[in-house]
Amino acid sequence: MIAIRTPDQRLRIFISSTMKELASARAAARAAIERLRLIPVLFELGARPYPPRDLYLAYLRQSDVFIGIYGQQYGWIAPDQEVSGLEDEYLNAGRMPKLVYVQSPAPDRDPRLSAMLSRIQSDGLSYRGFSTSEELGTLIADDLAVLLSERFDLGGEPPETRPRSRPLPAPASRFIGREEEKSLVRDLLTGREARLVTLIGAGGIGKTRLALEVGSGLRDEFDDVVMVALEEVSSADQVVSSIASSLGVPESPGQSMLDLIINYLRARRMLLIIDNFEHVMAAAHVLGQLITETDQVVLLVTSRERLRLSGERVVEVSSLQVPGAVCDAPTPSDSSSTVPGQPEAT
């Protein structure tokens, strides 16, 4: 439900940038915000008897929208900090809607700032370029207008425009010979004991086919069953956008794609099948966030190796046995199963 503000309460827009290098850009941003009758929040607006970090973190907590403006400088790193105040502000903005602007050209950009911009992109947040302060002011005014209109219209979104997920792909072959594995995985996913189950095994052994068979049989147990295919994904940075595409979650100005996905999933009991994860293992933390920041989402992952996330249950998918051969039933294991005394999957 959208909060209705009294007339004396206006949205506060936090402006983050280096102050000397981008003084004219900060002035243009302030002017654009004030033209919209909003409140710009800048570090330099008044002297305060507090340490600098305490001050900007307090300002952040009282703000509604984060605007990051970046040029060439990374900013100063305090003796007791590992990142600059500039990056610290971005990291502490949390789930606040974010609008990011990057000055171009910037031939002498600090490599640490370039790395920070790469991190922003990996968070699923896009940014816009600008070359002059006047251009920046126009961009900020336009983007804030769109952001505010979208956020205040969320409650009235008609059903036909809500995100639509993709159906599960049709199996290319019959399912034969893995009834024990199927039963085991199904029990894990529906027993509420595990919210992350990883099928591990060699390439081509049948992990995807098993996952599809299990997922197809669980449609009545979940609001939806969605498959995220990662075989064509070339880097971990693309995992978030692949999940969003499979769920049908569109971009929204000022919000990271991961935040949008999590907000979409919070109200749903959903089974996500994440296929071929072994070549994007650096994105395992994304799956961890989907689990920790939602209550009812369950993940079934196929991979050649375990993710080693908290609460992970691992089921090894072995080669199909020759008819008549004797084999042990499959056994799940925890992500911590390397600890002596705990069973390994067989």
Side-chain angles (χ1 to χ4, degrees):
M1 181 177 180
I2 300 298
I4 300 175
R5 296 174 179 267
T6 56
D8 63 315
Q9 297 181 18
R10 289 182 284 168
L11 292 179
R12 298 180 180 91
I13 315 299
F14 185 92
I15 300 174
S16 174
S17 72
T18 51
M19 289 192 289
K20 291 183 179 180
E21 174 198 15
L22 295 171
S24 62
R26 292 173 71 85
R30 177 179 180 178
I33 292 166
E34 289 176 338
R35 284 197 300 271
L36 293 172
R37 302 294 190 268
L38 306 175
I39 304 297
V41 178
L42 298 99
F43 180 85
E44 66 270 25
L45 285 182
R48 297 289 187 273
Y50 308 106
R53 187 169 189 266
D54 291 347
L55 185 60
Y56 68 67
L57 290 180
Y59 282 1
L60 262 175
R61 286 192 292 270
Q62 298 172 68
S63 298
D64 302 287
V65 177
F66 175 94
I67 288 182
I69 305 170
Y70 306 117
Q72 300 193 114
Q73 298 177 8
Y74 177 66
W76 181 68
I77 303 176
D80 58 342
Q81 298 294 311
E82 296 182 356
V83 298
S84 70
L86 189 71
E87 185 165 2
D88 194 36
E89 288 173 345
Y90 170 77
L91 294 174
N92 281 279
R95 299 203 174 283
M96 189 185 304
K98 302 179 185 69
L99 298 173
V100 177
Y101 304 91
V102 179
Q103 190 176 45
S104 179
D108 300 318
R109 180 168 292 146
D110 191 314
R112 294 170 297 181
L113 179 57
S114 296
M116 175 182 162
L117 294 175
S118 296
R119 174 177 184 156
I120 290 174
Q121 285 185 308
S122 69
D123 287 343
L125 191 67
S126 60
Y127 52 74
R128 302 183 70 173
F130 71 96
S131 57
T132 66
S133 297
E134 293 74 15
E135 180 186 8
L136 174 66
T138 300
L139 291 175
I140 288 176
D142 291 346
D143 291 344
L144 276 175
V146 172
L147 171 63
L148 296 179
S149 65
E150 287 192 349
R151 287 183 67 80
F152 278 90
D153 191 45
L154 289 178
E157 185 183 17
E160 60 271 19
T161 63
R162 297 183 190 277
R164 292 184 177 179
S165 57
R166 299 177 180 177
L168 290 179
S173 59
R174 292 176 58 200
F175 184 78
I176 301 174
R178 293 198 184 275
E179 293 300 330
E180 289 184 343
E181 289 96 330
K182 176 182 174 181
S183 177
L184 170 62
V185 176
R186 179 188 173 92
D187 290 346
L188 288 172
L189 295 174
T190 58
R192 300 185 183 269
E193 296 179 3
R195 294 181 55 206
L196 170 60
V197 176
T198 305
L199 306 181
I200 65 170
I205 206 166
K207 300 183 298 295
T208 300
R209 184 66 186 86
L210 175 58
L212 281 173
E213 183 68 17
V214 172
S216 297
L218 291 178
R219 294 183 187 275
D220 293 338
E221 301 285 340
F222 294 89
D223 297 338
D224 202 356
V225 179
V226 176
M227 183 171 188
V228 182
L230 300 178
E231 68 270 14
E232 301 297 328
V233 173
S234 59
S235 73
D237 292 341
Q238 298 173 341
V239 169
V240 171
S241 60
S242 296
I243 295 173
S245 176
S246 298
L247 290 171
V249 176
E251 293 185 7
S252 179
Q255 289 186 279
S256 76
M257 188 55 74
L258 182 55
D259 285 350
L260 291 169
I261 291 169
I262 290 171
N263 289 337
Y264 172 71
L265 292 174
R266 278 200 175 108
R268 292 167 170 82
R269 175 161 167 75
M270 183 175 291
L271 172 62
L272 286 183
I273 301 173
I274 315 290
D275 194 36
N276 288 293
F277 201 80
E278 60 274 352
H279 61 290
V280 289
M281 294 297 288
H285 68 281
V286 171
L287 303 191
Q289 281 188 258
L290 295 185
I291 293 295
T292 58
E293 300 192 30
T294 64
D295 295 324
Q296 303 182 84
V297 173
V298 179
L299 304 183
L300 176 58
V301 181
T302 74
S303 175
R304 297 186 187 183
E305 55 183 298
R306 62 186 64 198
L307 279 58
R308 301 192 181 280
L309 293 173
S310 177
E312 178 185 23
R313 301 297 298 273
V314 177
V315 176
E316 184 173 336
V317 181
S318 56
S319 301
L320 286 171
Q321 298 294 321
V322 177
V326 177
C327 62
D328 294 331
T331 305
S333 65
D334 297 328
S335 60
S336 58
S337 61
T338 54
V339 178
Q342 293 187 338
E344 288 282 345
T346 58

